[in-house]
Amino acid sequence: MAPIAPPDTSYRPPAADAVLHDWFRRGHDLDPGAEALRIGTSRYTYREVRDLALALAGDVVAACPERPRRIGLLASRSAQAYAGVLAAGYAGATVVPLHPDFPVERTRSMMTEAGIDALIVDTAGRRVVPHLADLLDGVPVVQEPVGQPLDAPLPVSPDDVAYILFTSGSTGRPKGVPVRHRNVDAYLRFVHDRYRFGPDDVFSQTFDLTFDLAMFDLFAAWGSGGTLVSVPPHAYASFRSFVENHGITVWFSSPSVIGLLRRLGELAPGTLPGLRWSLFCGEPLLGRDAGDWQAAAPFSSTENLYGPTELTISCSVHRWDPETTPERCLNGVVPIGTMHPGMRYVLLDAEGNPTVESGELCVTGDQMFPGYLQAEDDRGRFVEHAGERWYRTGDLVRPLDGGEDGALAYIGRCDHQVKIRGVRVELAEVEWGLRRCEGVEEAVVVVVRDELFAFVKGAPRTTAELVGELGRFLPRAIIPRRFHQIDEFPLNANRKTDRRELSRRASVIVESG
């Protein structure tokens, strides 16, 4: 297993207080003619990506009566999409990524809340524009560069907002998360210092631009002078060949990809020898999955990254060790590890008091965002402690090994800790129990009408068989009463298990009898 990269004396980060596109400039300055982006059979050099971004920015600036503040990017996996992230910054504005395949109503909601001054679209985004006509009255739409490119990026401040992303809100209305250049710069300095990526590295790009993990893909690659490879959905069916043919050395995705590849027969031991780093984030990483991936990529270091969008991509990390990590897994889930430099945490119990045992994880530090776009969304999401403001993640964690090394184990979401007939239940614990049952590959448990409902994937098992086996290691009060066999778990746009959809399905099944 590859060690953490040693210090590289040739590594030079951008100057202090860099803004997001300064990290692209670092890669460009290393070699403007190097390959920056690969989409299918199309190849783009750093110079070509920069020129396209300056051209798009020039058209936006020319079309706006005043300097734009926020630029929507309605595009997906095209040169226009990737260059559009830079173009917004070059225009001195904030980029607001939008997905052409999202429901139009959701896109309209995000555009309205963000208050965009201009919109960049690609071919896919262009098809959605007619459905947004009323919102785009007076808002210029840039499709292909036609005017004079900017000579150079317009100035922006580290305290300006680099991008606005939207997370799901409890009310159903997406919540806008503005992240400052200063927040992303602190994150990227940690990333590049830890991994010491270089111009020879080739990076996967699996996340949609509306998901903050995509910012890792882009600026980890471009900040090192490496190559970014867009991974299309069909690539997973011939995954080994895709990774080998493209020479990918850095893989980054949600953990759900591991189960998919296992089912497709693409994760046999030793099949991914070219990977140098394997990084997972976005949902809990199971120890079984991490072990299988490590066996498939024996020369790679495998790490579990954790962090909500509000804390800028990820804020803690645990490196998988086949000898020690399995015994540190809680409910079969890999620890979320230790906080990044510049980030600190405190745990709060159910009454909101600090605790050294398990509790809700609250974090503060250089990567914490300033607050939601709508001030009312801040209510209940921050806590004042020791004279500082801390973000409440909504995640339950506990210190490992008495907290000696600062490592944390993930328990589950606070809203996944429920009471069933007066008994407190951690859904993650029930799912862990189900995964221990013979033939069960994966399980997700939801609550319907004050009862536990389990979706199970794997070999067919009867309810009586599962209840009997679960009874050997779970209290009877927390054993689900209903089980439903499922061939594949639904995934959302970022390839994370869609629990909301599973809850909907469970309700339909219960109501239908």
Side-chain angles (χ1 to χ4, degrees):
M1 184 171 60
I4 291 287
D8 179 359
T9 56
S10 65
Y11 169 75
R12 293 291 183 273
D17 293 332
V19 296
L20 189 55
H21 50 264
D22 284 335
W23 288 91
F24 175 85
R25 185 179 65 186
R26 180 177 186 270
H28 175 276
D29 290 350
L30 287 173
D31 184 357
E35 185 182 3
L37 176 63
R38 191 180 304 167
I39 308 172
T41 59
S42 299
R43 308 288 192 269
Y44 304 89
T45 66
Y46 277 86
R47 182 183 293 109
E48 289 171 331
V49 173
R50 182 178 185 273
D51 288 349
L52 176 56
L54 287 171
L56 290 169
D59 279 4
V60 168
V61 171
C64 291
E66 298 178 353
R67 177 166 162 172
R69 297 181 312 118
R70 296 171 180 172
I71 298 175
L73 178 61
L74 187 59
S76 177
R77 296 190 180 278
S78 63
Q80 196 99 330
Y82 295 109
V85 175
L86 293 172
Y90 286 176
T94 297
V95 65
V96 184
L98 305 164
H99 198 309
D101 294 333
F102 277 1
V104 172
E105 196 57 39
R106 183 177 180 85
T107 299
R108 292 173 64 88
S109 174
M110 293 189 289
M111 289 175 60
T112 300
E113 183 162 331
I116 65 168
D117 301 309
L119 183 67
I120 296 174
V121 300
D122 63 0
T123 301
R126 192 178 307 154
R127 294 194 293 267
V128 185
V129 168
H131 302 286
L132 307 171
D134 57 320
L135 295 182
L136 294 174
D137 185 22
V139 175
V141 178
V142 172
Q143 300 182 16
E144 299 290 340
V146 295
Q148 181 67 33
L150 293 183
D151 293 330
L154 298 180
V156 293
S157 162
D159 288 316
D160 289 338
V161 175
Y163 56 80
I164 296 173
L165 298 176
F166 288 84
T167 62
S168 297
S170 58
T171 63
R173 176 182 60 80
K175 295 189 298 184
V177 181
V179 177
R180 297 171 298 185
H181 287 278
R182 186 181 302 283
N183 302 140
V184 194
D185 183 52
Y187 177 76
L188 290 173
R189 287 179 190 277
F190 164 78
V191 164
H192 284 279
D193 184 63
R194 180 177 181 85
Y195 300 114
R196 298 304 166 106
F197 299 132
D200 293 332
D201 278 315
V202 180
F203 298 74
S204 66
Q205 204 286 293
T206 65
F207 299 103
D208 186 79
L209 295 178
T210 57
F211 195 18
D212 66 328
L213 300 182
M215 297 298 170
F216 176 101
D217 294 339
L218 272 62
F219 294 98
W222 292 340
S224 61
T227 301
L228 185 70
V229 176
S230 180
V231 181
H234 62 76
Y236 297 102
S238 53
F239 185 71
R240 289 174 291 176
S241 297
F242 184 88
V243 170
E244 182 178 358
N245 292 341
H246 285 280
I248 292 175
T249 61
V250 181
W251 179 262
F252 187 38
S253 74
S254 66
S256 294
V257 166
I258 302 175
L260 171 65
L261 294 176
R262 186 190 293 115
R263 294 191 296 276
L264 294 173
E266 292 287 319
L267 205 64
T271 54
L272 302 170
L275 292 182
R276 196 168 78 85
W277 290 102
S278 299
L279 311 175
F280 297 95
C281 192
E283 59 188 346
L285 173 63
L286 301 181
R288 179 185 65 186
D289 288 347
D292 285 354
W293 184 279
Q294 185 68 75
F299 307 112
S300 167
S301 292
T302 299
E303 295 200 337
N304 183 33
L305 282 60
Y306 162 85
T309 301
E310 291 84 349
L311 296 174
T312 311
I313 306 175
S314 69
C315 62
S316 72
V317 61
H318 174 83
R319 188 178 178 215
W320 172 264
D321 185 321
E323 300 299 323
T324 62
T325 301
E327 64 186 26
R328 304 185 84 191
C329 290
L330 179 62
N331 296 330
V333 176
V334 176
I336 62 173
T338 56
M339 287 286 144
H340 295 178
M343 303 298 286
R344 289 162 287 117
Y345 77 89
V346 64
L347 305 183
L348 298 182
D349 62 20
E351 286 70 44
N353 300 313
T355 178
V356 295
E357 300 177 352
S358 62
E360 181 183 4
L361 178 64
C362 302
V363 181
T364 193
D366 300 336
Q367 296 175 208
M368 188 177 76
F369 81 134
Y372 294 102
L373 278 185
Q374 298 294 330
E376 62 265 28
D377 289 331
D378 287 350
R379 287 198 295 268
R381 301 311 309 158
F382 293 91
V383 63
E384 294 293 328
H385 171 70
E388 292 185 276
R389 192 183 196 214
W390 305 68
Y391 177 71
R392 303 184 65 162
T393 66
D395 289 324
L396 291 171
V397 305
R398 82 175 189 201
L400 281 171
D401 307 326
E404 293 180 3
D405 62 357
L408 299 170
Y410 178 80
I411 298 174
R413 291 289 298 167
C414 290
D415 52 9
H416 290 173
Q417 185 183 71
V418 299
K419 276 194 174 183
I420 302 296
R421 295 179 298 280
V423 177
R424 193 179 74 176
V425 180
E426 299 283 2
L427 298 185
E429 181 182 6
V430 183
E431 292 166 352
W432 165 80
L434 281 164
R435 290 194 295 268
R436 293 182 62 183
C437 293
E438 182 178 354
V440 175
E441 296 177 10
E442 185 53 279
V444 173
V445 178
V446 298
V447 179
V448 179
R449 294 185 179 178
D450 203 35
E451 298 287 351
L452 297 180
F453 188 112
F455 287 92
V456 179
K457 183 163 67 67
R461 301 290 304 279
T462 67
T463 294
E465 289 172 337
L466 288 170
V467 169
E469 196 166 346
L470 285 170
R472 299 207 306 265
F473 37 81
L474 287 182
R476 192 162 192 83
I478 69 172
I479 294 176
R481 293 195 174 186
R482 300 194 63 158
F483 299 85
H484 183 78
Q485 199 77 22
I486 192 169
D487 293 329
E488 297 290 342
F489 285 106
L491 303 179
N492 61 23
N494 296 309
R495 308 203 66 80
K496 295 168 63 174
T497 301
D498 194 337
R499 286 180 173 268
R500 181 172 296 182
E501 169 62 16
L502 288 173
S503 293
R504 186 196 66 80
R505 293 185 190 182
S507 295
V508 170
I509 293 170
V510 170
E511 290 171 3
S512 64

